[in-house]
Amino acid sequence: MTLLGRHLLRLTAWIWPQRFRLPLTALGVVVVAAAGLVYRYLGSEQMDFVLHAGALCALALVALAVVMVAAVTGLLWLRLRGGTKTVEDLELESGVRAATGFSFPRFRGWPLVQVRMEWVHPPRVAATMERAVGRVQEVVEPRQRGEVMSVVRRFVVADIFGLARLGLHRRAEQRVRVAPGRARCSGHVIAHFVGGEGLSHPAGPPEGELLDMRRYSYGDPLRHLLWKVYARTRQLVVRTQERAISPSPSAIAYFVAGEEDEPSASVARFFIEQGLLGADFQFEADGPADPTGDRAEAIDQLIRSVDFRRQGAAGLGRFLRRTAERQRRTCVLFV
């Protein structure tokens, strides 16, 4: 990229956030310019009273929109003073809507003005507003995992015609922790990562039903004796449980961060929380972290790996060198 291109990008990056400090939108500027030209050259010079009145009405409408938007913005600024400093920490999940507990008063007496809110930081969080009794409540839906220590909210005040607009930014010091969404995995996926020949019935015990048989030994419950077999063969045989699921050996697992990795992060969380990696598993995700066998720490590594998407699999070689050769026989990669 040339030097001129870099300067243009920097200029654009600086100008674009300033649009919320200017009272007129692009449509408002066009309406003012067109109405001014009509009023100056057609309405006054050619004595066209229809165009003259139409231009004055357009200018008056833009002025009214600017005044109303500025007034509501001032009232909103007064009502939000200190209001975003008392918010509580949030524990959210990616892809799950949740109420944050933050709210602000509604502006019922201003029918021509609309107020909307959005999150500037952290990014990729869809914020909506739901009406309550006299107030508006905030509902958010994160689109990616992550953890931040502050939230920047933008309140945009605009008229219904799109002629005027102003914005307010408010920073709240609160911890927001977004975990990966819970994956929806079926029993077929679980069956590939556990021992045994299959899954037990959901209504039955995990160790299986009484389907197998063996010879009676001292201490076996008499209620499990097969008397029909005894009557035919004169041998005491008891029913035993068929083990449908048996624990798999503990595995080592590594999560590779990258763009659009939320589905794989959800699957990794599912394996960790369900214990499918074994009791003595070792897990590590991209980032400056060490292998861990604690589930909570593994989830934390998953969340923090969002900051290392451009360095995917950078620590995979180091992770494999730290583990013993016998552990590498059961290695799971989430990519």
Side-chain angles (χ1 to χ4, degrees):
M1 182 180 296
T2 62
L3 182 61
L4 178 61
R6 289 196 295 268
H7 285 300
L8 289 177
L9 286 178
R10 293 177 182 176
L11 182 62
T12 303
W14 180 83
I15 292 178
W16 182 248
Q18 310 304 320
R19 68 190 187 278
F20 295 105
R21 299 183 179 180
L22 303 176
L24 289 179
T25 63
L27 178 60
V29 173
V30 171
V31 171
V32 170
L37 291 176
V38 170
Y39 177 81
R40 174 69 178 82
Y41 295 103
L42 298 180
S44 300
E45 295 182 358
Q46 299 184 12
M47 300 299 293
D48 191 329
F49 295 104
V50 175
L51 294 178
H52 187 270
L56 287 179
C57 290
L59 293 174
L61 180 61
V62 174
L64 177 63
V66 171
V67 170
M68 295 185 67
V69 167
V72 173
T73 304
L75 291 176
L76 183 63
W77 179 81
L78 292 175
R79 295 181 180 182
L80 290 177
R81 285 190 306 175
T84 58
K85 296 181 181 180
T86 58
V87 290
E88 298 179 353
D89 296 341
L90 298 176
E91 294 285 342
L92 306 175
E93 287 188 13
S94 177
V96 178
R97 287 169 52 87
T100 63
F102 175 79
S103 64
F104 59 91
R106 295 170 55 186
F107 295 90
R108 295 182 177 179
W110 304 82
L112 299 181
V113 178
Q114 297 176 338
V115 180
R116 63 181 176 88
M117 180 183 59
E118 56 191 18
W119 281 27
V120 180
H121 179 76
R124 299 188 65 179
V125 177
T128 57
M129 298 180 296
E130 294 185 354
R131 293 184 178 181
V133 181
R135 301 185 68 84
V136 178
Q137 294 181 347
E138 179 187 55
V139 179
V140 298
E141 182 180 351
R143 303 295 172 80
Q144 71 175 14
R145 68 194 184 280
E147 183 177 8
V148 296
M149 304 308 295
S150 64
V151 176
V152 178
R153 293 178 173 88
R154 178 190 292 138
F155 300 87
V156 181
V157 183
D159 67 295
I160 61 176
F161 304 107
L163 302 174
R165 175 190 59 204
L166 286 174
L168 288 175
H169 290 78
R170 287 293 179 270
R171 177 183 295 273
E173 299 300 329
Q174 65 179 136
R175 177 174 176 267
V176 178
R177 183 174 182 268
V178 182
R182 300 181 184 276
R184 297 177 177 86
C185 296
S186 64
H188 297 287
V189 176
I190 304 175
H192 287 80
F193 291 91
V194 295
E197 298 179 354
L199 291 175
S200 63
H201 193 274
E207 61 271 12
E209 302 291 341
L210 296 172
L211 299 179
D212 288 345
M213 296 182 297
R214 63 173 176 81
R215 295 180 63 87
Y216 173 82
S217 60
Y218 180 78
D220 288 336
L222 295 180
R223 65 178 182 274
H224 292 167
L225 282 172
L226 296 176
W227 297 108
K228 293 183 179 180
V229 177
Y230 175 76
R232 187 173 61 253
T233 63
R234 296 299 177 179
Q235 293 182 356
L236 290 176
V237 180
V238 296
R239 291 188 182 276
T240 59
Q241 293 171 330
E242 177 191 31
R243 295 196 61 84
I245 298 180
S246 59
S248 292
S250 296
I252 62 173
Y254 190 89
F255 177 80
V256 178
E259 296 298 330
E260 305 298 334
D261 60 355
E262 289 302 317
S264 58
S266 299
V267 175
R269 178 187 178 184
F270 176 82
F271 272 69
I272 295 171
E273 292 183 341
Q274 298 298 321
L276 298 181
L277 298 177
D280 300 325
F281 72 96
Q282 289 293 312
F283 179 86
E284 184 178 340
D286 278 328
D290 296 327
T292 180
D294 182 71
R295 296 185 181 182
E297 176 61 26
I299 298 299
D300 290 339
Q301 289 191 20
L302 268 180
I303 296 174
R304 293 192 296 266
S305 65
V306 70
D307 299 326
F308 302 92
R309 285 179 166 176
R310 296 189 177 183
Q311 306 171 13
L316 178 57
R318 179 191 60 191
F319 171 72
L320 293 177
R321 289 191 298 269
R322 288 181 178 181
T323 57
E325 183 177 356
R326 59 180 179 82
Q327 292 178 311
R328 299 175 201 162
R329 299 174 184 175
T330 310
C331 181
V332 181
L333 296 180
F334 300 98
V335 183

